[in-house]
Amino acid sequence: MITRRTLAKSLVATPVVAMALQTGVHGSLWQVARAQEGPVRIGSKDFTEQLILGEMYALLLENAGITTEKRLNLGGTQVAQEALLAGEIDLYPEYTGTGLTVVLGMPIDAVTSGTPITGAATPTDQAVSIDQQVYDIVSEEYLEQFDLVWLDESAFNNTQALAVKRAFAEERGIATISELAAIAGELTIVAPSDFVERPDGLQGLQDFYELEFGNVLSVAPGIRYQALEEDQAQVVLAFGTDGQVSGMDLVLLEDDKGLWPPYHVAPVVRNEPLTANPGIADALNPIAPLLTDQVMSALNWQVDGPDKLEPIDVARAFLEEQGLLGG
């Protein structure tokens, strides 16, 4: 598990922390002091869904009378998390499975196999879903380790997946990741740059499926599907709510050995601005049950598909349709 000592050591050399120190920020990395009369700063990672969610958060907070500043498109998980810890942003959308495996460094199979994690808030009731277990764990550990609060999680589960073209799946007779593993040595996978290092990425596939790809093509998240479409790769690391899955008629291979935990998104907020602005939770929590798999995929496709709409326009139209803007 990542400890305060090891994470603090890793953060000292990062640009975002150096910037904070150079500007005279004092005190713990876990509670960077700043004037609370300033705007609530909203960050996001660097792909379509995150940009839409970041715009939604800004619109909802502004609608509630809370001044905001957007710092979207920051990069991957590590960059966004470090920015949050350093006080460069106050909140950003994160996924429960990513929080569990990447930030907290907990083993994937500790939850997916039903094995209790020592010290975590895993309920004893076996009827409690894995989704709830993961949310409970990240909520408790983030608060204890980082003084960060998880607000309500979304209905949608943007789980990781391996996707292939339908014609390829039919030609090679594959429907599961286990079946793909038998021919993976002949294939190229296209994935974001952090796929190789993540425990729920290439390493997880090797551990769970003994799967070794012939080649890994690392690209920016936004051009993964272009590489697949242009036949530079046969497999793409997909996410369950990607608009391209339906838009390009791709096949999501079944994770038949249960590699991936649930990935429900929620705003993760620094405790200090949340305490100063309790209206943050009231403004953001109402969208959680409205964002289903189908809804989020459709919103993503409005940006990534032929319409090429701007994330802010997609976010505003959805919130207006749901009656969440205007008072």
Side-chain angles (χ1 to χ4, degrees):
M1 182 186 300
I2 297 175
T3 64
R4 294 189 184 195
R5 180 186 299 273
T6 57
L7 188 52
K9 182 178 179 181
S10 70
L11 288 175
V12 167
T14 64
V16 87
V17 174
M19 186 186 308
L21 295 174
Q22 290 168 5
T23 54
V25 177
H26 300 286
S28 168
L29 281 174
W30 320 110
Q31 287 187 326
V32 178
R34 72 177 182 88
Q36 283 304 305
E37 64 271 12
V40 173
R41 296 161 298 178
I42 302 165
S44 81
K45 302 184 197 181
D46 57 353
F47 54 92
T48 296
E49 182 166 285
Q50 286 270 312
L51 298 176
I52 294 173
L53 291 168
E55 297 287 3
M56 283 187 184
Y57 295 173
L59 288 165
L60 288 168
L61 292 178
E62 292 283 352
N63 188 65
I66 299 171
T67 303
T68 67
E69 178 182 317
K70 292 185 292 189
R71 299 186 178 183
L72 308 183
N73 204 24
L74 292 174
T77 299
Q78 182 179 3
V79 175
Q81 174 73 0
E82 290 174 357
L84 196 60
L85 294 178
E88 291 296 312
I89 59 174
D90 296 313
L91 65 93
Y92 81 96
E94 186 55 278
Y95 302 89
T96 53
T98 303
L100 180 79
T101 61
V102 178
V103 178
L104 296 176
M106 291 185 171
I108 298 167
D109 58 358
V111 174
T112 56
S113 66
T115 303
I117 298 178
T118 303
T122 306
T124 56
D125 182 355
Q126 295 302 308
V128 174
S129 69
I130 289 177
D131 293 36
Q132 186 64 51
Q133 290 182 45
V134 173
Y135 179 79
D136 289 345
I137 291 166
V138 296
S139 295
E140 179 178 283
E141 294 296 326
Y142 266 61
L143 186 61
E144 180 181 337
Q145 294 190 40
F146 313 128
D147 201 29
L148 300 176
V149 177
W150 283 74
L151 300 185
D152 290 357
E153 65 176 2
S154 68
F156 78 78
N157 179 15
N158 192 9
T159 184
Q160 295 194 85
L162 299 184
V164 298
K165 291 181 178 179
R166 186 169 300 279
F168 179 85
E170 293 173 351
E171 176 187 341
R172 304 302 293 266
I174 56 173
T176 69
I177 298 179
S178 289
E179 291 169 344
L180 179 74
I183 60 171
E186 311 167 21
L187 308 177
T188 295
I189 183 173
V190 58
S193 56
D194 63 354
F195 172 71
V196 175
E197 292 82 18
R198 288 177 60 134
D200 57 350
L202 187 60
Q203 186 60 53
L205 288 168
Q206 292 172 347
D207 292 344
F208 272 66
Y209 290 97
E210 298 182 355
L211 186 157
E212 295 275 357
F213 285 104
N215 186 37
V216 177
L217 180 60
S218 297
V219 300
I223 61 173
R224 285 172 296 139
Y225 291 98
Q226 180 181 337
L228 185 70
E229 191 171 25
E230 295 175 354
D231 294 323
Q232 298 178 41
Q234 297 78 42
V235 185
V236 63
L237 180 70
F239 299 93
T241 55
D242 285 347
Q244 291 92 338
V245 173
S246 59
M248 296 173 60
D249 190 28
L250 302 181
V251 173
L252 293 179
L253 301 179
E254 179 189 349
D255 179 15
D256 52 303
K257 292 187 178 180
L259 164 61
W260 287 302
Y263 292 83
H264 295 275
V265 81
V268 178
V269 192
R270 294 176 54 241
N271 213 349
E272 185 181 8
L274 184 61
T275 302
N277 300 281
I280 290 175
D282 293 336
L284 299 184
N285 282 338
I287 63 169
L290 304 177
L291 296 174
T292 64
D293 287 8
Q294 294 77 14
V295 166
M296 198 68 239
S297 179
L299 295 176
N300 289 335
W301 190 237
Q302 289 180 44
V303 176
D304 292 331
D307 292 341
K308 302 295 182 187
L309 301 181
E310 291 296 322
I312 189 171
D313 296 328
V314 172
R316 182 182 291 110
F318 174 76
L319 295 176
E320 288 175 346
E321 179 183 312
Q322 300 299 318
L324 294 177
L325 295 183

